[in-house]
Amino acid sequence: EEAYMQAKKWYLSKTVIFNILALVVAIASAFGFAGFQASAETEQIAMVIITVINLILRSVTKQPLSR
């Protein structure tokens, strides 16, 4: 029970890491990194996938984050 309430560092959070990676990909896509420009349909599908993964990660979260 005590381990459940023990906070972990933010940079060890799979949810935070995933969201940072998603942000980096979104920024790279917005600026046409390596000549890649996603279509509107691809962007919509990516947003759905990101949302589903976030919901899954949040559902398995057991520890709060520390600063």
Side-chain angles (χ1 to χ4, degrees):
E1 180 75 25
E2 188 172 324
Y4 175 79
M5 295 307 289
Q6 189 176 25
K8 65 180 171 183
K9 298 292 184 186
W10 66 268
Y11 52 82
L12 297 176
S13 165
K14 292 177 199 73
T15 304
V16 172
I17 292 169
F18 174 76
N19 281 294
I20 290 171
L21 291 174
L23 177 64
V24 169
V25 170
I27 291 171
S29 177
F31 290 101
F33 180 74
F36 174 75
Q37 189 64 38
S39 68
E41 182 179 347
T42 302
E43 289 178 359
Q44 290 174 343
I45 292 169
M47 288 304 299
V48 170
I49 292 169
I50 289 168
T51 301
V52 169
I53 292 172
N54 268 307
L55 290 170
I56 291 168
L57 288 170
R58 290 296 302 144
S59 71
V60 299
T61 297
K62 294 179 178 61
Q63 294 176 287
L65 295 179
S66 66
R67 294 180 186 218

